[in-house]
Amino acid sequence: MAIETDTVEFVGGVRWGRTTGAPLAMVIHNKDWKNWTEGMSADPSYAGSIEPLTNVRPGHADLPGALKYSLSDARDVLERSSARETASRVAAGAVAKILLEFFDIRIGSFVDTLGGVSAGWNDDWEALAAIAEDSALRMADADAEKAAIALIDKAKSSGDTLGGSFVCFATGLPVGLGSHVQWATRLEGRIGQAILSIPAIKAIEFGIGFAVAKLPGSKVHDEIFPSEAGNALTGNVSRKTNRAGGLEGGITNGEPLWVRAAMKPIPTLMRPLKTVDLATGRPSSASKERSDVCAVPAASVVGEAMLAVELAKALKEKTGGDSVAEMKRNLDAYLESLSGRWSRI
Amino acid sequence: MAIETDTVEFVGGVRWGRTTGAPLAMVIHNKDWKNWTEGMSADPSYAGSIEPLTNVRPGHADLPGALKYSLSDARDVLERSSARETASRVAAGAVAKILLEFFDIRIGSFVDTLGGVSAGWNDDWEALAAIAEDSALRMADADAEKAAIALIDKAKSSGDTLGGSFVCFATGLPVGLGSHVQWATRLEGRIGQAILSIPAIKAIEFGIGFAVAKLPGSKVHDEIFPSEAGNALTGNVSRKTNRAGGLEGGITNGEPLWVRAAMKPIPTLMRPLKTVDLATGRPSSASKERSDVCAVPAASVVGEAMLAVELAKALKEKTGGDSVAEMKRNLDAYLESLSGRWSRI
Amino acid sequence: MAIETDTVEFVGGVRWGRTTGAPLAMVIHNKDWKNWTEGMSADPSYAGSIEPLTNVRPGHADLPGALKYSLSDARDVLERSSARETASRVAAGAVAKILLEFFDIRIGSFVDTLGGVSAGWNDDWEALAAIAEDSALRMADADAEKAAIALIDKAKSSGDTLGGSFVCFATGLPVGLGSHVQWATRLEGRIGQAILSIPAIKAIEFGIGFAVAKLPGSKVHDEIFPSEAGNALTGNVSRKTNRAGGLEGGITNGEPLWVRAAMKPIPTLMRPLKTVDLATGRPSSASKERSDVCAVPAASVVGEAMLAVELAKALKEKTGGDSVAEMKRNLDAYLESLSGRWSRI
Amino acid sequence: MAIETDTVEFVGGVRWGRTTGAPLAMVIHNKDWKNWTEGMSADPSYAGSIEPLTNVRPGHADLPGALKYSLSDARDVLERSSARETASRVAAGAVAKILLEFFDIRIGSFVDTLGGVSAGWNDDWEALAAIAEDSALRMADADAEKAAIALIDKAKSSGDTLGGSFVCFATGLPVGLGSHVQWATRLEGRIGQAILSIPAIKAIEFGIGFAVAKLPGSKVHDEIFPSEAGNALTGNVSRKTNRAGGLEGGITNGEPLWVRAAMKPIPTLMRPLKTVDLATGRPSSASKERSDVCAVPAASVVGEAMLAVELAKALKEKTGGDSVAEMKRNLDAYLESLSGRWSRI
């Protein structure tokens, strides 16, 4: 949650507020760095200046990472697989969001559940996101938030941690991003990879998700109607439901895209789990690194970022072009061709 | 489900039962082809020989695909986004499985739920898969299967369709496939994309999946113990639980990998849904293509294939090498290095 | 040179003369196949039905390929690295050319030198290609062709082989394909890889190529002038020279793109070279597979194909879009924006 | 040429002298930056603080870049396509070289010709590189260097610029890197792209290169003999010539790899070329940015870097593995299998 208060230094790729085509290079200066100047130094002369981390934490990359890379100190794994890595994703996502905003495509997120406490929400996406932005836990439901805070306090006192789930969405998307033609172009897969690649995310569902497994087709698929008011984004059709979450056949259909992801509890517990010591193979207790109780609100922001990056790529594939103006010109001409489709009626 | 009875012709890439390094080209001859020789011919002289499909089906790629690609006939979309496309995935997956079997890595699957009917199952993976192979619905639970068959019959008579969920797993994996170091190397993301790219799959979860959102860390993470019997695959540790589904930090940990996916009901209903006519934009009823009631058992086989392909890639990244013998030599040396790690004890 | 008389069967990806988005799958039936039904069969029961090839040919992939892949029979290497593989490139290139022709972009080639005999040529590209098409050796110079034929006859009688060089070009390209912004987006590199990946190609140069190393800047760079007649493709400038070969900074500049490549002589000599026997490591004579004396005319056709594929990709990156109509609409709008740039003058 | 005196700051990816798997992030602080803090600032409030560059230089990306990206100021293009960009390649290449050195693979380069002056050289690669390192122009021939210096002085006084050619090589490579099996895996293509992507490189040749076009097969292909002294890298064969430049069929054959590239003269002339003004389309003189006369010695260092990066990738593909120790273990076992191949003799 500290992500938002860090500052970013642009060291390449931007001139006078515009990207130049060079790699967009941003450095996020870690405020905690002063405590690690030797322990994490690039300089080999500091080797051994802090103790190796060997009490590998269950649920983290510590042990499989150390075995894979043949390491006697799991800290190299820990530092890279920590949530700190996601700060760079949020920075990249912020750039993707700026691009999307030129096209009135907006990305948002909120916390859905935390430790089993569910926040109430509807599909008024942008309003929800505004409420969530003002909430400490990014929940758009004050009562649920209160209950979740109590749960966090309780977990803290018992040395435990909590997970939860969050929802990310995008509004303003035109029909026709992504494609059904190849397995690797389908957006469920691409967005799925992007979000499942966030540390600790173990599940994802698009639209009503797992509920599709239980309902008959007549209660799952979103019927299609002419749009009397006109809606260029959908190709001038309307739907009364959006159970598909804005994606049919791996392609945006012009409805809001929404996706829910589940995050496991933080693996660093103050009442540590049983493990083995990497140095000896003998039973041990997991390392107690400095840690929070719950990272779900922060993860929802990372989810937004990954969604924004993937949608920006899909948009660019559709429009081509080498400037925002050219992208817009191409997208506008495409949307106009959709509008003209049934104009003879 | 007819996939298994089709035959594959190898037209390139294999000599005397061994791959040659040329693209492995397989042709699956569609038995239904004789009814489509003109309607789906490559030859432009047959253009217009069958009617365009314009009553686009909600829940399918028909409408977004036709708008995206500026088509007046949605058949081009329908044919490519149909389940027929997945036959090629099963063929590719079969090859990946052969490679994995050289390493005693086995892939299997079974149907978990169908239309809301849940099959009972445990974590005796290979036994489950054997039972599922002998079941018409690929369920490892005869009672649930009976209930599911009744549900299918009922859906058929009411012109409706059904979805469900399935589980895919892999046993025999060594610790250290995949990596935490980059977002795109994490296996949850890679396997997630592979399986979410199967048509109609709307959700996926690894291990206990969405349940991680509700439980405290002490009930989610799998504690680690020395392996008294020795287990080279895990690096000589053991776990009493496998809630993580065999992946920690995007890396295999040597435990069985398991993943569950949800499939929506087939979008082609005999009691058709409301839609618009692509030619006119006016209200219409969705096309009634020849279709089954439920595709979940077939989808579980496709899920196996995608899992096999992704794991074969991850294995090859770890071992390098240009022959099975070289891959095995490299993997064996790696596993031996893990075994030697704590031998001084 | 037999490439053009083979026939291609489309087994996927085309309906009524239009691509469907499914992989475009073509099978080229090899007329010589009837002699190899057992020796190259996919069926393991034919293993050993022909003798292994062990007298590896210098200059071919035979030896490094057999060592890399741990093979006792170099035939698997020979067959894949033979010129037959390039038939598939020509087929793919033919499709790319059809796409480019919608944009009035034309690709051609001709043989520049053969065994040291140089054909005269100028920069009247399309006329040259027309002459070359009617020439047995694809040389646009009848006298040189006669001399080259004599040289081939002489090489044949002495059991030797010949190499040569060819030129590929593209006309009608708009300014702005490719990009200077990343190393992997620069067109010299991309086209360079495409053409250097053709078997036996050992060198490539763009425009005047190696001559740039000797001349001063004032004799190398192409000065820029306003285009009085107007030329949308260059952005309304003109140049009196085209030493750069149509590429500046990795980007097309609207002038014809031209590139020259050198092909080594065929490594299969009737008067065989010294080698070692793969089975024993002992001195031996290289295998005498059925072979031509010179493959440069055929290679020039393959060069066209690779150039077409790479330019089609670069064009699609610029225009985006999901149909030829959309690509054209986007490109036309871009060219119009270039024309309007200085219209206020 | 100032590249070597710059310093690099590691801001990520290294701990105590070892890579951690996180992106290896290096910042090269440009000493000239203090003169550009406003003109090249990321901050939009400095927009317009220096004049736009509109007198686009022939031979540079200036004009095609500005048209492609719809820019009114070509400086964004100039800065990215300048030789400064190649400093990052040299930094990346230095890391690749360190990896290769663990395997006794060494990369070097020297200047072959400059403005038409040819340096003499033989195939004693490492000795040549040592001499070149001590030469101001990176030529391994003192007489040629003296003549080249005189030529540079003359070009400078006449306001002109010079190009040249350089040779890059690698020694210690094992047979079997790269592959003939796919067009994109062949090393001539991959290394070709890497080096042709360096700004101003217009031609490349492997081994004797364009000379293969003139010579008969018997004078081009390198005959193969048993290696009496033993040579694990080649698989225990020897060759008396290395015209192929160490690559046969896109694969290393264990001989030194050598490649020559041609660089065009710097496009910024003190006696400027004719051009058009980007703002008006009217005739103009090209901009006179601060510039050197010849960049070939610096380019040879960039060529080394690109060669090192590509070979490091190819090595990693062969060995797999996740640590230098594992890579070495796998490579050693492979080389041992080659040595054992003919041991029964």
Side-chain angles (χ1 to χ4, degrees):
Chain A
M1 268 168 285
I3 287 164
E4 288 100 329
T5 61
D6 282 334
T7 56
V8 168
E9 181 192 2
F10 287 86
V11 295
V14 184
R15 183 188 180 214
W16 296 348
R18 290 169 41 131
T19 56
T20 63
L24 188 54
M26 298 177 266
V27 176
I28 303 174
H29 296 281
N30 188 335
K31 289 167 180 174
D32 193 35
W33 170 244
K34 60 182 180 297
N35 301 318
W36 293 89
T37 49
E38 299 189 355
M40 292 303 293
S41 173
D43 187 341
S45 68
Y46 290 112
S49 61
I50 60 171
E51 287 299 300
L53 188 147
T54 61
N55 292 313
V56 293
R57 292 159 301 164
H60 226 281
D62 293 1
L63 180 59
L67 294 175
K68 174 185 180 73
Y69 291 102
S70 195
L71 302 170
S72 53
D73 179 358
R75 183 158 301 281
D76 288 352
V77 179
L78 174 157
E79 294 295 337
R80 178 57 186 167
S81 64
S82 89
R84 263 191 293 289
E85 177 259 342
T86 62
S88 64
R89 306 195 193 202
V90 173
V95 177
K97 279 187 190 179
I98 291 172
L99 179 64
L100 293 170
E101 276 169 18
F102 280 107
F103 299 85
D104 294 319
I105 298 169
R106 295 187 204 289
I107 310 288
S109 72
F110 52 88
V111 170
D112 169 45
T113 70
L114 199 157
V117 173
S118 290
W121 51 272
N122 51 32
D123 64 355
D124 191 358
W125 305 109
E126 299 192 26
L128 282 170
I131 298 170
E133 285 293 330
D134 287 337
S135 148
L137 294 182
R138 297 186 56 76
M139 286 177 127
D141 175 336
D143 291 342
E145 187 178 38
K146 199 178 294 179
I149 289 172
L151 208 61
I152 289 173
D153 289 342
K154 197 178 140 201
K156 193 168 196 170
S157 66
S158 67
D160 215 328
T161 56
L162 294 172
S165 60
F166 58 84
V167 171
C168 295
F169 63 85
T171 59
L173 292 167
V175 61
L177 306 190
S179 177
H180 67 286
V181 299
Q182 300 290 347
W183 77 269
T185 57
R186 289 177 168 261
L187 278 193
E188 281 97 342
R190 291 166 55 175
I191 294 170
Q193 172 170 23
I195 291 180
L196 284 164
S197 76
I198 302 170
I201 305 300
K202 296 297 278 188
I204 190 169
E205 51 185 8
F206 290 84
I208 62 169
F210 273 98
V212 301
K214 296 181 183 167
L215 297 168
S218 55
K219 298 271 184 281
V220 166
H221 305 299
D222 305 302
E223 292 188 306
I224 304 170
F225 304 91
S227 170
E228 286 174 28
N231 180 350
L233 295 177
T234 59
N236 283 321
V237 302
S238 70
R239 293 175 184 83
K240 292 172 182 169
T241 52
N242 182 16
R243 300 165 190 137
L247 291 172
E248 286 176 293
I251 311 173
T252 56
N253 64 9
E255 304 290 340
L257 189 156
W258 59 284
V259 60
R260 175 159 42 185
M263 183 183 216
K264 67 183 178 187
I266 292 174
T268 310
L269 279 70
M270 289 304 120
R271 203 175 56 191
L273 299 172
K274 289 178 184 163
T275 189
V276 298
D277 185 311
L278 188 62
T280 63
R282 289 196 181 123
S284 174
S285 285
S287 166
K288 290 190 283 185
E289 293 285 307
R290 191 177 59 103
S291 180
D292 290 326
V293 168
C294 179
V296 179
S300 68
V301 176
V302 184
E304 278 188 43
M306 297 307 288
L307 179 60
V309 167
E310 204 56 45
L311 288 174
K313 280 197 269 180
L315 177 69
K316 180 66 170 61
E317 290 163 13
K318 177 63 181 168
T319 65
D322 294 301
S323 63
V324 170
E326 188 175 5
M327 288 178 72
K328 278 180 79 78
R329 189 172 65 213
N330 292 350
L331 185 67
D332 288 348
Y334 163 67
L335 291 174
E336 198 180 307
S337 78
L338 297 183
S339 295
R341 201 169 173 115
W342 297 313
S343 60
R344 63 185 176 283
I345 307 171
Chain B
M1 269 170 282
I3 288 164
E4 289 100 327
T5 62
D6 282 333
T7 57
V8 168
E9 181 190 3
F10 287 85
V11 295
V14 184
R15 184 188 180 214
W16 297 348
R18 291 169 40 130
T19 56
T20 64
L24 189 53
M26 297 177 266
V27 176
I28 303 174
H29 295 281
N30 188 334
K31 290 167 181 173
D32 194 35
W33 171 244
K34 60 182 181 295
N35 301 318
W36 293 89
T37 49
E38 299 189 355
M40 292 304 293
S41 173
D43 187 339
S45 69
Y46 290 112
S49 60
I50 59 170
E51 287 299 300
L53 188 146
T54 61
N55 291 312
V56 293
R57 292 160 301 163
H60 226 280
D62 293 1
L63 181 59
L67 295 174
K68 174 185 180 75
Y69 289 103
S70 196
L71 302 170
S72 52
D73 180 359
R75 183 158 299 281
D76 287 353
V77 179
L78 174 157
E79 294 294 337
R80 177 60 185 166
S81 64
S82 89
R84 262 190 294 289
E85 176 258 341
T86 61
S88 63
R89 306 195 193 203
V90 174
V95 177
K97 278 185 189 180
I98 291 171
L99 179 65
L100 294 170
E101 277 169 19
F102 280 106
F103 299 84
D104 293 319
I105 298 169
R106 298 187 203 286
I107 310 288
S109 71
F110 53 87
V111 170
D112 169 44
T113 70
L114 198 158
V117 174
S118 289
W121 50 271
N122 51 33
D123 64 356
D124 190 359
W125 304 110
E126 298 192 26
L128 281 171
I131 299 171
E133 285 293 329
D134 287 335
S135 148
L137 294 182
R138 296 185 56 76
M139 285 175 129
D141 175 337
D143 291 340
E145 187 179 37
K146 198 178 295 180
I149 289 173
L151 207 60
I152 289 174
D153 289 342
K154 195 177 141 200
K156 193 167 196 171
S157 67
S158 66
D160 216 329
T161 56
L162 295 172
S165 60
F166 59 84
V167 170
C168 294
F169 64 85
T171 59
L173 292 167
V175 61
L177 307 189
S179 176
H180 67 286
V181 298
Q182 299 290 346
W183 76 270
T185 57
R186 288 176 167 262
L187 277 193
E188 282 97 341
R190 289 166 56 174
I191 295 170
Q193 173 170 22
I195 292 181
L196 285 164
S197 77
I198 301 171
I201 304 302
K202 296 297 279 188
I204 190 169
E205 51 186 8
F206 289 84
I208 61 169
F210 272 99
V212 301
K214 295 181 183 166
L215 297 167
S218 55
K219 298 271 183 281
V220 166
H221 304 299
D222 304 302
E223 291 188 307
I224 304 171
F225 303 90
S227 170
E228 287 174 27
N231 180 348
L233 295 178
T234 59
N236 283 321
V237 301
S238 69
R239 292 174 185 85
K240 293 174 181 167
T241 52
N242 182 16
R243 300 166 190 135
L247 292 172
E248 285 177 294
I251 310 173
T252 56
N253 63 10
E255 304 290 340
L257 189 156
W258 58 285
V259 60
R260 175 157 45 184
M263 183 184 216
K264 67 183 178 186
I266 292 174
T268 309
L269 280 70
M270 289 303 120
R271 201 174 59 191
L273 299 173
K274 289 178 185 164
T275 189
V276 297
D277 185 314
L278 189 63
T280 63
R282 289 195 180 124
S284 175
S285 285
S287 167
K288 290 190 283 187
E289 294 283 308
R290 192 175 60 102
S291 180
D292 290 327
V293 168
C294 180
V296 179
S300 68
V301 176
V302 184
E304 278 188 43
M306 297 306 288
L307 179 60
V309 167
E310 205 56 45
L311 289 175
K313 281 196 269 180
L315 177 68
K316 179 68 171 62
E317 290 163 12
K318 177 62 181 168
T319 65
D322 293 302
S323 63
V324 170
E326 188 174 5
M327 289 177 72
K328 277 180 80 76
R329 188 172 65 214
N330 293 349
L331 186 66
D332 287 348
Y334 163 68
L335 290 174
E336 198 180 307
S337 78
L338 297 183
S339 294
R341 203 170 172 115
W342 297 314
S343 60
R344 64 184 174 284
I345 306 172
Chain C
M1 268 171 284
I3 287 165
E4 289 98 330
T5 62
D6 282 331
T7 57
V8 169
E9 181 192 1
F10 287 85
V11 294
V14 183
R15 183 186 180 216
W16 297 348
R18 290 169 42 132
T19 55
T20 63
L24 189 53
M26 298 178 266
V27 176
I28 303 174
H29 295 281
N30 189 335
K31 289 169 180 171
D32 194 35
W33 171 244
K34 60 181 180 297
N35 301 318
W36 294 88
T37 48
E38 298 189 356
M40 292 303 294
S41 173
D43 187 339
S45 68
Y46 290 112
S49 60
I50 60 172
E51 287 298 301
L53 189 146
T54 60
N55 291 312
V56 294
R57 292 159 302 163
H60 227 281
D62 294 0
L63 181 58
L67 294 175
K68 174 185 180 71
Y69 291 102
S70 195
L71 301 170
S72 53
D73 179 358
R75 183 159 301 279
D76 287 353
V77 178
L78 174 157
E79 295 295 335
R80 178 58 185 168
S81 65
S82 89
R84 263 190 294 289
E85 177 259 341
T86 62
S88 64
R89 307 195 192 204
V90 174
V95 176
K97 278 186 188 178
I98 291 172
L99 178 66
L100 293 170
E101 277 170 19
F102 279 106
F103 299 85
D104 293 319
I105 298 169
R106 295 185 205 288
I107 310 289
S109 71
F110 52 88
V111 169
D112 170 43
T113 71
L114 197 157
V117 174
S118 289
W121 50 271
N122 52 32
D123 64 356
D124 190 358
W125 304 110
E126 298 191 26
L128 281 171
I131 298 170
E133 285 293 328
D134 288 337
S135 149
L137 294 182
R138 297 186 54 78
M139 287 177 126
D141 175 336
D143 291 342
E145 186 180 38
K146 198 178 293 180
I149 289 171
L151 207 61
I152 289 172
D153 290 342
K154 197 177 141 202
K156 192 168 199 172
S157 66
S158 66
D160 215 328
T161 56
L162 295 172
S165 60
F166 59 84
V167 171
C168 294
F169 64 84
T171 60
L173 292 168
V175 62
L177 307 190
S179 176
H180 66 286
V181 298
Q182 299 290 348
W183 77 269
T185 57
R186 289 176 168 262
L187 277 193
E188 283 96 342
R190 291 166 54 174
I191 295 169
Q193 173 171 22
I195 291 181
L196 285 165
S197 76
I198 302 170
I201 304 301
K202 296 297 278 188
I204 190 168
E205 51 186 7
F206 289 84
I208 62 170
F210 273 98
V212 301
K214 296 180 183 168
L215 297 168
S218 55
K219 298 272 184 282
V220 166
H221 303 298
D222 305 301
E223 292 188 306
I224 303 171
F225 304 90
S227 169
E228 288 175 25
N231 180 349
L233 294 178
T234 59
N236 284 319
V237 303
S238 69
R239 292 173 184 83
K240 292 173 182 168
T241 52
N242 182 15
R243 300 166 190 135
L247 291 172
E248 286 175 292
I251 310 173
T252 56
N253 64 10
E255 303 291 339
L257 188 156
W258 60 285
V259 60
R260 175 158 45 184
M263 182 183 217
K264 67 182 178 187
I266 292 175
T268 310
L269 279 71
M270 288 304 119
R271 203 175 56 192
L273 299 172
K274 289 178 184 161
T275 189
V276 297
D277 186 313
L278 188 62
T280 63
R282 289 195 181 123
S284 174
S285 284
S287 166
K288 288 190 284 185
E289 294 284 307
R290 191 176 60 105
S291 179
D292 290 325
V293 168
C294 179
V296 179
S300 69
V301 176
V302 184
E304 278 189 43
M306 296 307 288
L307 179 59
V309 167
E310 204 57 45
L311 288 174
K313 281 197 270 181
L315 177 68
K316 179 66 171 61
E317 290 164 12
K318 178 62 180 167
T319 66
D322 293 301
S323 64
V324 170
E326 188 174 5
M327 289 177 71
K328 277 181 80 78
R329 187 173 66 212
N330 292 351
L331 185 67
D332 288 349
Y334 164 68
L335 291 174
E336 198 181 306
S337 79
L338 297 183
S339 293
R341 202 170 171 114
W342 297 313
S343 61
R344 63 185 176 280
I345 306 171
Chain D
M1 269 171 283
I3 288 166
E4 289 99 328
T5 61
D6 282 332
T7 57
V8 169
E9 180 192 4
F10 287 86
V11 294
V14 183
R15 183 185 180 217
W16 295 348
R18 291 170 41 132
T19 56
T20 63
L24 188 54
M26 298 177 265
V27 176
I28 304 173
H29 296 282
N30 189 334
K31 289 169 180 171
D32 194 35
W33 171 244
K34 61 181 181 294
N35 301 318
W36 294 88
T37 48
E38 298 190 356
M40 291 304 294
S41 173
D43 186 339
S45 68
Y46 290 112
S49 61
I50 61 171
E51 287 299 300
L53 187 147
T54 61
N55 292 312
V56 292
R57 291 160 302 162
H60 227 281
D62 294 0
L63 181 59
L67 294 175
K68 174 185 180 72
Y69 290 103
S70 195
L71 302 170
S72 53
D73 179 359
R75 183 159 299 280
D76 287 351
V77 178
L78 174 156
E79 294 295 336
R80 177 59 185 166
S81 63
S82 89
R84 261 189 296 287
E85 176 260 341
T86 62
S88 64
R89 307 196 192 203
V90 173
V95 177
K97 279 187 189 179
I98 291 171
L99 179 65
L100 293 170
E101 276 169 20
F102 280 106
F103 299 84
D104 293 319
I105 298 170
R106 297 186 202 288
I107 310 288
S109 72
F110 52 87
V111 170
D112 169 45
T113 71
L114 196 158
V117 174
S118 289
W121 51 272
N122 51 32
D123 64 357
D124 190 359
W125 304 112
E126 299 191 27
L128 282 171
I131 298 170
E133 285 293 330
D134 287 337
S135 148
L137 295 182
R138 295 186 55 76
M139 286 176 127
D141 174 335
D143 291 342
E145 185 179 41
K146 197 179 295 180
I149 289 171
L151 207 60
I152 289 172
D153 290 342
K154 197 176 141 202
K156 190 168 199 172
S157 66
S158 65
D160 216 329
T161 56
L162 295 172
S165 60
F166 58 85
V167 171
C168 295
F169 64 85
T171 59
L173 291 167
V175 61
L177 307 190
S179 177
H180 66 287
V181 299
Q182 299 290 348
W183 77 268
T185 57
R186 288 177 168 263
L187 276 193
E188 283 96 340
R190 290 166 55 173
I191 295 170
Q193 173 171 21
I195 291 180
L196 285 165
S197 78
I198 302 170
I201 304 301
K202 296 297 278 189
I204 190 169
E205 52 186 7
F206 290 83
I208 62 170
F210 273 99
V212 300
K214 296 181 183 166
L215 297 168
S218 55
K219 297 268 183 287
V220 166
H221 304 299
D222 304 302
E223 292 189 307
I224 304 170
F225 303 91
S227 170
E228 287 173 28
N231 181 349
L233 295 178
T234 60
N236 284 320
V237 302
S238 70
R239 292 174 184 83
K240 293 173 182 168
T241 53
N242 182 14
R243 301 165 190 136
L247 291 172
E248 286 176 293
I251 310 173
T252 55
N253 64 8
E255 303 290 339
L257 189 156
W258 57 286
V259 60
R260 174 158 46 184
M263 182 184 217
K264 66 184 180 185
I266 291 174
T268 308
L269 281 71
M270 288 304 120
R271 202 175 55 191
L273 299 172
K274 289 177 184 166
T275 191
V276 298
D277 185 311
L278 188 62
T280 63
R282 288 193 182 126
S284 174
S285 285
S287 166
K288 289 190 284 186
E289 294 285 305
R290 190 176 61 103
S291 179
D292 290 325
V293 168
C294 179
V296 179
S300 68
V301 176
V302 184
E304 278 187 43
M306 296 307 288
L307 179 59
V309 167
E310 204 57 45
L311 289 174
K313 281 196 269 181
L315 176 67
K316 180 67 171 61
E317 290 163 13
K318 178 62 181 168
T319 65
D322 294 301
S323 64
V324 170
E326 187 174 5
M327 290 177 70
K328 277 181 79 79
R329 188 173 65 212
N330 292 350
L331 186 66
D332 287 348
Y334 163 69
L335 291 174
E336 197 180 307
S337 78
L338 297 182
S339 293
R341 201 170 173 115
W342 297 313
S343 60
R344 63 184 176 282
I345 307 172

